[in-house]
């Protein structure tokens, strides 16, 4: 199937028609809401802590609450999207997301902010689940990996600009302006979804929300070795990325002395490397297939993680000693995520929502645990960030070099 053609939609009796550029833009926007919700906010964390009089564990909880809600809510939105379709789920969720973002902007205390951040995460889950499922709706696995890589290049542009914009906003207008910016972007995505998105599900499953059916489907997905291999890859590589996301503002600003705007540029450099990784992913896929691609990407993940840990252990506390390994890891992440997200849903064309939800839940659970750990581990040095990144880099390489070659072969519908 070419990128310009979508399958007939058995759920609505019509063909899902989207021009390739529109489809890629929509997927990038939906997937990009995740880095937008985190990266735009990161430069403002030290100022937020001072403004609300909150300690490090409480501030980290605003991140962890979003991620935990994001993970758990995917288990809800996945089967709902299989039952009612991607379009109605996205319309409802994006409207609620805009409300939650406005509530976070106006939050009077760290406790209220944490609650609104959790609500943001729950709504964000629908965007990511539906986007991943839409790729499986429209494309066979091999082509889907290339399309996902293209969409993630767009996501990378959002991830690149978010910390820089967030740093400028936080420095100029205070930490609340970063959350107001999220509100405005989500409202724009809602309008785009409302106007251009057709229903992409091939068929709707009236039994998707029945407890027995849902339990059987979830068990079938979770026990599939192909799913487990690719979902493990995405969870491990994101574990390392979340170490960077949740700790880097404190490391760069409070340990290494960068301003909020300079920190945004540093995080943006990592996002640029991530975008380069998604481009490399497409080239590698043509030559080596999915398994060979992630095996090669693991070298970059490992070099970044172990390199940062070695420099930190040697007492090298400099911006370059953190930034260069961070960029290497981000390059590998740009290779792993498109392949892993496509591979996790590929065996389940009729239950893509559930598969995407379970993979996303595993990813978010890892990130939540990382956030809780960092809330206690950050000690005014670069070591927690460096050692945490090394841990997840080793796991990512291990999965890419063992589980994926054994069980990760993709199969068409």
């Amino acid at each position: 199937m070419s990128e310009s053609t979508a399958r007939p939609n058995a759920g609505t009796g019509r063909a899902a028609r989207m021009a390739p550029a529109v489809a890629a833009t929509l997927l990038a926007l939906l997937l990009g809401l995740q880095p937008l919700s985190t990266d735009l906010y990161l430069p403002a964390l030290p100022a937020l802590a001072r403004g609300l009089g909150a300690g490090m564990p409480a501030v980290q909880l605003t991140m962890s609450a979003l991620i935990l809600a994001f993970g758990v809510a995917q288990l809800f939105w996945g089967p709902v999207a299989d039952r009612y379709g991607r379009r109605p789920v996205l319309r409802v969720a994006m409207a609620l997301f805009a409300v939650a973002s406005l509530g976070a902007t106006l939050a009077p205390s760290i406790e209220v902010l944490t609650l609104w951040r959790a609500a943001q995460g729950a709504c964000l889950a629908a965007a990511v689940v539906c986007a991943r499922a839409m790729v499986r709706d429209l494309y066979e696995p091999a082509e889907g990996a290339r399309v996902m890589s293209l969409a993630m290049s767009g996501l990378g542009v959002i991830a690149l600009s978010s910390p820089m914009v967030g740093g400028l906003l936080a420095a100029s207008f205070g930490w609340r302006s970063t959350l107001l910016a999220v509100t405005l972007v989500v409202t724009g995505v809602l309008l785009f979804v409302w106007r251009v998105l057709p229903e992409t599900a091939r068929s709707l499953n009236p039994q998707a929300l029945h407890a027995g059916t849902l339990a059987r489907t979830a068990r079938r997905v979770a026990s599939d070795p192909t799913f487990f291999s690719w979902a493990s890859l995405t969870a491990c590589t994101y574990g390392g990325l979340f170490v960077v996301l949740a700790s880097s503002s404190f490391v760069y600003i409070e340990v290494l002395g960068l301003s909020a705007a300079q920190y945004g540029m540093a995080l943006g450099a990592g996002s640029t490397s991530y975008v380069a990784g998604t481009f490399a992913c497409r080239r590698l896929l043509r030559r080596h297939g999915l398994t060979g691609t992630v095996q090669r990407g693991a070298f970059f993940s490992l070099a970044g993680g172990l390199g940062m840990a070695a420099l930190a252990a040697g007492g090298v506390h400099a911006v370059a000693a953190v930034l260069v390994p961070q960029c290497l890891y981000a390059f590998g992440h740009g290779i792993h995520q498109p392949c892993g997200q496509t591979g996790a849903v590929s065996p389940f064309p009729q239950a893509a929502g559930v598969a995407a939800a379970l993979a996303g839940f595993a990813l978010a659970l890892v990130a939540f645990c990382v956030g809780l750990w960092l809330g206690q581990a950050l000690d005014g040095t670069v070591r927690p960030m460096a050692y945490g990144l090394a841990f997840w880099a080793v796991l990512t390489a291990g999965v890419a070099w063992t589980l994926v070659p054994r069980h990760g072969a993709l199969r068409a519908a």
Side-chain angles (χ1 to χ4, degrees):
M1 179 182 295
S2 70
E3 291 186 20
S4 60
T5 306
R7 288 192 185 86
N9 185 327
T12 63
R14 296 178 296 173
R17 295 185 179 91
M18 281 191 292
V22 175
T25 300
L26 181 60
L27 288 171
L29 287 173
L30 292 173
L31 293 169
L33 289 175
Q34 185 175 359
L36 180 79
S37 300
T38 53
D39 296 15
L40 192 73
Y41 174 73
L42 291 177
L45 287 182
L48 182 154
R50 293 190 296 270
L52 295 181
M56 183 75 67
V59 172
Q60 286 292 335
L61 189 58
T62 66
M63 287 286 289
S64 298
L66 181 145
I67 291 298
L68 181 62
F70 170 68
V72 173
Q74 289 183 69
L75 301 177
F76 168 78
W77 290 119
V80 170
D82 286 339
R83 170 63 183 88
Y84 294 107
R86 322 308 183 202
R87 182 170 59 178
V89 165
L90 283 172
R91 287 180 171 183
V92 170
M94 291 303 94
L96 294 175
F97 198 167
V99 172
S101 299
L102 182 60
T105 302
L106 303 175
S109 67
I110 193 70
E111 293 80 11
V112 174
L113 176 61
T114 301
L115 291 175
W116 281 119
R117 290 288 282 171
Q120 284 182 301
C123 300
L124 172 64
V128 174
V129 164
C130 288
R132 292 172 182 164
M134 284 162 56
V135 173
R136 189 62 187 98
D137 293 340
L138 300 173
Y139 304 102
E140 293 297 344
E143 187 177 6
R146 291 190 291 272
V147 173
M148 181 64 83
S149 177
L150 180 63
M152 286 196 161
S153 295
L155 177 153
V157 173
I158 296 173
L160 167 63
S161 58
S162 291
M164 292 188 286
V165 173
L168 291 172
L169 288 173
S172 302
F173 304 107
W175 65 267
R176 293 185 190 274
S177 65
T178 63
L179 293 167
L180 179 60
V182 174
T183 306
L184 297 176
V185 173
V186 171
T187 302
V189 173
L190 170 62
L191 295 175
F192 191 66
V193 165
W194 202 280
R195 290 181 62 87
V196 307
L197 178 65
E199 181 53 61
T200 64
R202 304 188 212 180
S203 61
L204 303 181
N205 181 3
Q207 306 298 316
L209 295 176
H210 291 190
T213 300
L214 182 57
R216 287 191 297 271
T217 301
R219 185 166 55 248
R220 178 168 61 90
V221 171
S223 63
D224 185 276
T226 300
F227 169 83
F228 182 79
S229 299
W230 292 109
S232 297
L233 182 72
T234 60
C236 289
T237 184
Y238 190 77
L241 179 69
F242 197 76
V243 168
V244 173
L245 294 178
S247 64
S248 58
S249 62
F250 296 97
V251 169
Y252 278 114
I253 295 174
E254 298 191 348
V255 179
L256 300 177
L258 298 188
S259 67
Q262 289 171 328
Y263 163 67
M265 295 177 66
L267 203 60
S271 298
T272 301
S273 185
Y274 169 80
V275 173
T278 65
F279 279 95
C281 178
R282 292 197 290 278
R283 292 179 63 88
L284 290 169
L285 283 168
R286 288 194 292 268
R287 297 181 61 183
H288 303 291
L290 275 107
T291 298
T293 294
V294 299
Q295 287 178 315
R296 286 160 176 80
F299 286 104
F300 294 96
S301 304
L302 205 58
L306 295 183
M308 189 184 294
L311 290 168
V316 182
H317 290 185
V319 172
V322 176
L323 183 59
V324 173
Q326 173 192 324
C327 289
L328 285 171
Y329 189 90
F331 187 89
H333 186 70
I335 294 172
H336 292 311
Q337 277 293 328
C339 298
Q341 291 190 15
T342 301
V345 301
S346 69
F348 310 103
Q350 304 304 324
V354 171
L358 289 174
F361 174 75
L363 179 151
L365 183 61
V366 165
F368 177 74
C369 293
V370 167
L372 291 183
W373 172 72
L374 283 172
Q376 303 299 320
L378 289 174
D379 58 1
T381 72
V382 302
R383 286 190 294 270
M385 177 178 170
Y387 297 161
L389 187 67
F391 173 80
W392 291 106
V394 169
L395 288 186
T396 299
V399 172
W401 291 337
T402 59
L403 288 180
V404 169
R406 292 176 187 172
H407 306 296
L410 300 189
R411 47 193 185 269

